[in-house]
Amino acid sequence: MNNFMTLGQFIIEKQAEFPYAKGELSRLLRDIGIAAKIVNREVNKAGLMDILGSSGTTNIQGEHQQKLDVYANEQFIAALRSGGECCIVASEENDEIIRIESAVSGNAKYIVAIDPLDGSSNIDVNVPVGTIFSIFRRKSAEGPARLSDVLQRGTDQVAAGYIIYGSSTMLVYTTGCGVNGFTLDPSIGEFCLSHPGMKMPESGVIYSINEGNYIHFPLGVKQYIKYCQVEDAATKRPYTSRYIGSMVADLHRNLIKGGIFIYPNTAAAPNGKLRLLYECNPLAFVIEQAGGRATDGANRILDLEVNELHQRTPVFIGSALMVSEAEKFMAAAGENVFAQSVI
Ligand code: AHG
Ligand code: MN
Ligand code: MN
């Protein structure tokens, strides 16, 4: 007999805390949980099936799509379509928004933005991958939901979370009342509450950044990296460098252990790489709810204006004190300053 509370039981128990129509958001979260289990099944048997490798296609951002990118995208969209609570899906893998116009969703009030498979370059080598989701209420009162319903600030999210397909599979989400984590028990096929009320340490000793791009980083980031590497007993430096290349996995580790994740802007990519709507905003919501901070180096991620579906932003996210420290280096170096010399 399992003593854990399942995701389904937890959602029903907690739905009194939801600010809006309660059953609908519960059903939406349940649908995401179901799709996550299906994707998990495929990720787990990836080496056994003809599902590894490139699909031979590229997405709007020119990135090569892996077969599992396409599969995960189809599964989440199918679950949201049949669930009937979602009127628009915005996905990393689709150029445009996907309207769900079936009869059952005639009154659907929710918008879902999703990165169906995060870290897809890691699939072929058995390294954790993830899914990131963000949920909004539609703003327009009538007529078909439209793009402007999707382009909402991070502060407007009603729920957000991620799934990590790792050594165990976990679903972590927030509805704005803290963060709770559920581990998939494969023997019963249920996500079970394993990490209630997740809190991020205020500080830590891990910094996560693709240091191979060092030469291209803004001066403030270069100087912060040097700061991380200096010996100082009081602040437990030098810090440890850990970078998986799956943002979900890097953040999940840092959420539990304490740490900072940075994907900065560079001269060649002035807005960084990661996408605001379906990567940075949902993860910022989770991290803030766990007590951490998320900024673009100067401004709170959740306050940023969203003008485009696939908009990118630099991101500094993690333990509150570490993000504040990194921001000090950015401010001191001056925004948009790119050092051409190696320091
Ligand atoms: P995705 O697989 O959804 O395109 O996201 C990959 C992202 C993110 O997960 C990761 O942190 C980052 O790209 C890694 O980028 P670099 O290889 O440039 O470090
Ligand atoms: Mn991603
Ligand atoms: Mn992706």
Side-chain angles (χ1 to χ4, degrees):
M1 182 68 186
N2 194 322
N3 289 325
F4 285 121
M5 185 183 281
T6 67
L7 176 64
Q9 291 167 333
F10 184 87
I11 289 171
I12 289 167
E13 191 160 290
K14 289 284 170 186
Q15 66 179 8
E17 291 174 359
F18 295 170
Y20 303 107
K22 303 175 185 328
E24 297 166 2
L25 183 55
S26 295
R27 284 193 288 275
L28 193 52
L29 288 166
R30 181 206 55 195
D31 295 340
I32 289 172
I34 292 169
K37 285 191 244 180
I38 295 170
V39 171
N40 176 68
R41 190 186 62 199
E42 297 305 307
V43 168
N44 276 331
K45 64 184 181 191
L48 300 171
M49 307 279 290
D50 182 29
I51 199 159
L52 288 176
S54 171
S55 65
T57 53
T58 53
N59 65 17
I60 179 78
Q61 293 145 83
E63 298 162 340
H64 292 293
Q65 290 178 306
Q66 302 288 320
K67 287 182 197 164
L68 267 174
D69 276 326
V70 175
Y71 181 84
N73 194 36
E74 286 169 0
Q75 290 305 322
F76 279 99
I77 292 170
L80 294 168
R81 193 185 293 281
S82 68
E85 311 301 345
C86 174
C87 54
I88 289 184
V89 184
S91 166
E92 179 192 356
E93 303 304 336
N94 295 90
D95 309 1
E96 309 287 345
I97 54 174
I98 299 156
R99 289 200 176 80
I100 298 178
E101 280 157 1
S102 54
V104 67
S105 63
N107 290 317
K109 296 182 185 65
Y110 288 95
I111 314 277
V112 176
I114 192 157
D115 176 354
L117 207 72
D118 175 66
S120 46
S121 66
N122 281 326
I123 297 165
D124 291 1
V125 290
N126 246 331
V127 169
V129 290
T131 295
I132 310 171
F133 61 91
S134 170
I135 302 176
F136 297 92
R137 301 260 306 170
R138 67 174 283 186
K139 286 226 156 132
S140 55
E142 53 194 31
R146 53 208 84 154
L147 180 62
S148 57
D149 286 310
V150 181
L151 304 181
Q152 299 188 40
R153 285 175 203 263
T155 45
D156 291 330
Q157 292 172 103
V158 293
Y162 62 83
I163 297 116
I164 175 167
Y165 311 96
S167 46
S168 61
T169 293
M170 277 189 74
L171 186 150
V172 175
Y173 82 99
T174 183
T175 53
C177 303
V179 179
N180 292 286
F182 301 79
T183 302
L184 183 62
D185 180 341
S187 67
I188 58 169
E190 293 281 3
F191 283 106
C192 298
L193 181 63
S194 52
H195 295 61
M198 293 175 85
K199 284 286 165 216
M200 181 159 207
E202 229 186 354
S203 194
V205 296
I206 297 172
Y207 71 102
S208 310
I209 185 167
N210 186 342
E211 262 176 281
N213 295 328
Y214 184 89
I215 189 74
H216 302 300
F217 288 158
L219 182 60
V221 172
K222 287 181 174 178
Q223 290 175 333
Y224 178 68
I225 291 173
K226 288 295 166 204
Y227 164 87
C228 292
Q229 296 170 345
V230 165
E231 193 151 42
D232 176 56
T235 51
K236 299 196 179 127
R237 285 178 289 149
Y239 294 156
T240 296
S241 169
R242 291 281 183 274
Y243 189 76
I244 294 172
S246 294
M247 187 189 194
V248 165
D250 276 310
L251 266 198
H252 181 70
R253 180 203 53 239
N254 291 2
L255 167 55
I256 290 171
K257 293 191 166 183
I260 183 170
F261 174 96
I262 303 176
Y263 207 109
N265 49 324
T266 62
N271 296 317
K273 173 183 181 185
L274 299 175
R275 280 62 52 110
L276 180 56
L277 200 61
Y278 43 79
E279 290 181 316
C280 297
N281 266 340
L283 294 174
F285 191 18
V286 170
I287 292 296
E288 280 200 7
Q289 282 293 313
R293 294 190 68 215
T295 76
D296 65 358
N299 311 290
R300 185 181 177 217
I301 291 286
L302 296 181
D303 286 335
L304 296 179
E305 205 173 306
V306 186
N307 300 309
E308 287 171 30
L309 215 48
H310 300 287
Q311 186 173 327
R312 298 171 194 266
T313 178
V315 64
F316 296 63
I317 182 167
S319 291
L321 295 179
M322 296 177 86
V323 173
S324 300
E325 192 66 44
E327 279 180 312
K328 282 189 211 159
F329 282 90
M330 292 302 282
E335 228 177 313
N336 297 322
V337 173
F338 297 95
Q340 296 307 314
S341 60
V342 182
I343 57 167

